[in-house]
Amino acid sequence: MALANLHNWNDLSRETVRKGVERVGFRGDDVMCVMNWLTPGMDTNPHSHTFEQLVIIVQGRVRFHLGDEVVEGGPGSMIRIPPHVVHYAEPVGDEVVLNLDVFAPLREDYKHLVEYQRAEFE
């Protein structure tokens, strides 16, 4: 198995999730990162899940709704979403938001996003 495997999120095929939302994934043994492109005017999707989510804003400004709270951040902002909290994001302004999500352990429902890395883990 190769130890260094370089990938660039700009070179990967993006999955379209819904209007205005695209994503790609990258994984390690027990962790997964998902880069999301959030376009102003996107369809929002309030949801919750059983695992913790860490969010890092790389580009643009975003408003996160977390339960009854609303927080707004830009590049460098980090947000922790606890398990079972209903949440969603919406871009603020005209710029596409790059939102990096970190999940540990790997999300089974997102494994299709990292299929391109299969050989790295065989």
Side-chain angles (χ1 to χ4, degrees), residues 55-122:
V55 178
I56 302 164
I57 305 304
V58 177
Q59 171 186 299
R61 293 201 61 77
V62 68
R63 185 174 300 122
F64 259 93
H65 299 257
L66 304 162
D68 295 331
E69 294 183 53
V70 178
V71 296
E72 190 172 311
S77 296
M78 298 178 285
I79 304 160
R80 176 184 172 264
I81 303 172
H84 309 289
V85 172
V86 175
H87 60 280
Y88 67 96
E90 57 180 331
V92 174
D94 299 336
E95 186 176 14
V96 171
V97 172
L98 288 178
N99 166 130
L100 181 65
D101 291 332
V102 180
F103 303 101
L106 297 174
R107 284 185 62 163
E108 289 296 321
D109 58 333
Y110 280 13
K111 281 195 171 177
H112 65 282
L113 295 173
V114 295
E115 186 62 26
Y116 70 95
Q117 289 183 273
R118 178 192 301 240
E120 297 172 33
F121 294 93
E122 290 179 340

